[in-house]
Amino acid sequence: MEAWLVYLIKKSMTHALLIITIISFLESLALIGLILPGIVFMSILGTFIGNGTLKLYPAWISGIIGCMFGDWISYYLGWKFKKYLKKVSLLKKNNIVLNRTKNTLKKYPMSTIFIGRFIGPIRPLIPMVCGMLNISLKKFILPNIIGCILWPPIYFLPGIFAGIAINTTINYNIETYLKLQFFSSILFIWLGIFLLWKYIEKKSDLKKKSIFYIHFLFFPIMFLSIGIIVMIYIQYNPKIILIRQLLWDIFIK
């Protein structure tokens, strides 16, 4: 699958942009997004942006288009076929995630629509559940559009860094430990954000157990702090300027 994807991307820019649109669409589409490893595909696509094979902005626009179509169709399916969707076996298997998504949407609809766009297990469920709960388009559209605009570059980012790392390995002498520090800082920041979301999601349950309430908050703060400190530390390395320049070139071209 990955080899086929790489072949088509290298074949032409049109194929590449079409693939990005399709992957973004399927990744956002209700039910299908649950079984599609979208983060893997988006990271692979980001690698081609990082090594210069793809341009960032056409890929970004293609991702936005696919994302919006997937989410809006999912919203319609949830609204139109809510009675039948409850009987779908795939949803029954993910019943715990589905119920948590419903509860969170009822309490914090707009923030859940936006933040949930970046969290794998619930991303393809949120638009459909919004339709099932009859959440108004006024509440759905704005956070959905903002989320769809920001989602592609964020999911491209690990691949972009990988593409830059490959280029710098081939063309420049960048120390292995510097690259490890760079990637580990990103990993810690992402992990901290994910745990912070889980904390917000389970905040009401954790409050009942005051000990766990404090302890659970410690981990996202710790991971975020480590990631930010490492990221600041490596900025003092002269060779990080090269990576910043390569990243900047991607954004201005």
Side-chain angles (χ1 to χ4, degrees), residues 68-207:
M68 286 184 176
F69 272 103
D71 281 359
W72 295 347
I73 290 173
S74 298
Y75 180 92
Y76 174 78
L77 291 174
W79 173 74
K80 187 73 175 177
F81 303 105
K82 49 177 161 279
K83 292 181 181 178
Y84 305 100
L85 286 170
K86 293 176 182 178
K87 301 175 183 178
V88 175
S89 59
L90 188 59
L91 283 181
K92 289 180 180 178
K93 291 178 183 178
N94 292 274
N95 193 48
I96 295 173
V97 177
L98 182 63
N99 289 333
R100 285 180 179 174
T101 303
K102 285 181 178 179
N103 293 334
T104 310
L105 274 169
K106 287 176 182 177
K107 293 178 183 177
Y108 318 103
M110 296 186 73
S111 59
T112 303
I113 292 166
F114 173 70
I115 298 173
R117 159 52 44 192
F118 306 96
I119 300 173
I122 63 172
R123 180 175 56 257
L125 289 177
I126 284 180
M128 182 189 70
V129 175
C130 285
M132 293 171 72
L133 296 175
N134 291 320
I135 290 176
S136 67
L137 286 173
K138 288 182 180 180
K139 290 182 179 179
F140 176 75
I141 289 293
L142 181 60
N144 175 254
I145 289 176
I146 296 172
C148 283
I149 290 171
L150 297 177
W151 178 73
I154 289 174
Y155 267 59
F156 284 146
L157 205 56
I160 290 174
F161 286 132
I164 291 173
I166 291 167
N167 270 356
T168 52
T169 300
I170 295 171
N171 300 310
Y172 305 94
N173 181 25
I174 303 294
E175 296 94 336
T176 301
Y177 78 88
L178 176 59
K179 285 184 282 187
L180 286 173
Q181 289 173 339
F182 185 65
F183 284 116
S184 64
S185 67
I186 295 170
L187 178 63
F188 277 118
I189 290 170
W190 272 56
L191 189 58
I193 292 171
F194 172 76
L195 290 175
L196 189 60
W197 165 252
K198 297 302 290 183
Y199 167 78
I200 293 170
E201 188 183 28
K202 297 182 178 181
K203 191 175 179 180
S204 57
D205 294 333
L206 290 169
K207 275 186 176 179

Side-chain angles (χ1 to χ4, degrees), residues 33-46:
L34 287 172
I35 57 176
L36 187 74
I39 182 63
V40 176
F41 290 134
M42 295 297 280
S43 294
I44 292 171
L45 294 166

Side-chain angles (χ1 to χ4, degrees), residues 4 15-29 32 36 42 45 62-63 65-67:
W4 173 79
H15 284 137
L17 297 180
L18 183 60
I19 288 169
I20 293 169
T21 304
I22 292 171
I23 289 175
S24 300
F25 171 74
L26 294 176
E27 170 67 10
S28 305
L29 194 60
I32 294 176
L36 187 74
M42 295 297 280
L45 294 166
S62 298
I65 293 170
C67 174

Side-chain angles (χ1 to χ4, degrees), residues 3-22:
W4 173 79
L5 183 66
V6 171
Y7 169 76
L8 286 177
I9 289 170
K10 288 184 175 179
K11 192 171 178 64
S12 76
M13 178 65 75
T14 303
H15 284 137
L17 297 180
L18 183 60
I19 288 169
I20 293 169
T21 304
I22 292 171

